Amino acid sequence: MKKVNSVEEYIEVNSNFSQELTLLREIINTTDLEETIKWSAPAYCLNGKNVLGLGAFKKHFCIFFHQGVFLKDEHDLLNNAQEDKTKGMRQMRFKSISDINETAVLSYVKEAIENQAFKPKRITKKDVIVPDLISEVLNSNADFKTAFKALTPSCQREYCNYISEAKRDATKFSRLDKIKPMILKGAGLHDKYKKC
């Protein structure tokens, strides 16, 4: 990415999404966030702390929420851009200007500001970060959700890590098929070694 010195220059360099980035910028700039450039991209801060940023790529553009894991995501708009690497950051991804729901975007931005103002707890190794693949099953299968929630946090974490640590999607799906019956039985991933 070419080094840029201003948000205007960033928008100019990413001319394929200039109208879209300008709209997102206008929405964000209705708040009290401070606009700056960090990592050669627009960044928005509160009292010097990163809250969110804009990004543009070949086929999509997005808003990065640095502590997006703490957002309620009532409209189901957030994704973990790099499931194996990012813990707290979430991405709101768009392909065209018609994908931008201005009201929803502003509500997410305001919630992110509130969260930063109240300093949500940092993610630790003991937090259970549920991968998207398991989340999909939890949302579509009530029995699975009940069984998963009944597990201890350490057992939940072991299952989540087992899926997240797989590099290929095919491996993740085969691992999910393997653990579903274990979870439904209330068994831990490593029960033969310890009791959950």
Side-chain angles (χ1 to χ4, degrees):
M1 177 58 159
K2 177 186 170 189
K3 183 172 175 163
V4 297
N5 298 308
S6 69
V7 176
E8 291 82 5
E9 190 179 344
Y10 183 85
I11 291 171
E12 186 179 312
V13 167
N14 293 284
S15 57
N16 54 326
F17 292 121
S18 60
Q19 185 180 1
E20 293 84 348
L21 291 169
T22 300
L23 176 57
L24 290 177
R25 180 187 190 201
E26 289 170 357
I27 294 167
I28 295 165
N29 282 337
T30 64
T31 70
D32 293 329
L33 291 176
E34 306 146 22
E35 184 179 72
T36 187
I37 291 287
K38 290 187 180 182
W39 309 288
S40 291
Y44 297 85
C45 306
L46 182 69
N47 301 322
K49 300 287 185 184
N50 297 327
V51 177
L52 56 96
L54 294 179
F57 304 91
K58 286 183 181 177
K59 296 184 179 179
H60 72 278
F61 58 100
C62 63
I63 301 176
F64 287 103
F65 292 92
H66 289 276
Q67 293 295 323
V69 71
F70 297 111
L71 296 173
K72 293 181 199 121
D73 196 16
E74 293 174 349
H75 300 283
D76 197 29
L77 298 173
L78 300 178
N79 298 297
N80 188 336
Q82 293 181 302
E83 199 170 288
D84 297 335
K85 295 180 182 176
T86 58
K87 291 184 179 175
M89 187 179 288
R90 293 294 179 267
Q91 183 186 91
M92 185 182 289
R93 187 180 289 194
F94 311 94
K95 290 186 177 176
S96 72
I97 199 162
S98 62
D99 292 341
I100 300 173
N101 176 334
E102 294 181 43
T103 305
V105 168
L106 184 58
S107 72
Y108 279 65
V109 170
K110 286 182 175 178
E111 185 184 352
I113 293 167
E114 287 173 21
N115 286 351
Q116 183 61 50
F118 291 109
K119 295 183 181 169
K121 67 174 186 147
R122 294 191 62 82
I123 297 173
T124 68
K125 289 185 178 180
K126 293 191 172 186
D127 289 322
V128 178
I129 307 299
V130 180
D132 292 340
L133 195 57
I134 291 180
S135 288
E136 289 171 16
V137 182
L138 291 172
N139 293 332
S140 62
N141 185 327
D143 292 337
F144 183 83
K145 184 174 187 174
T146 302
F148 185 80
K149 295 292 182 189
L151 294 171
T152 63
S154 64
C155 285
Q156 291 177 8
R157 192 168 35 258
E158 286 173 354
Y159 280 121
C160 291
N161 290 342
Y162 183 63
I163 296 295
S164 295
E165 289 165 359
K167 301 293 180 211
R168 299 180 323 126
D169 286 345
T171 307
K172 290 181 183 189
F173 283 109
S174 68
R175 286 184 177 188
L176 181 64
D177 289 339
K178 175 185 171 185
I179 65 173
K180 273 185 193 174
M182 296 167 68
I183 292 171
L184 288 168
K185 287 180 188 172
L189 182 63
H190 303 295
D191 268 6
K192 61 183 171 183
Y193 305 112
K194 66 177 181 68
K195 181 102 172 112
C196 281

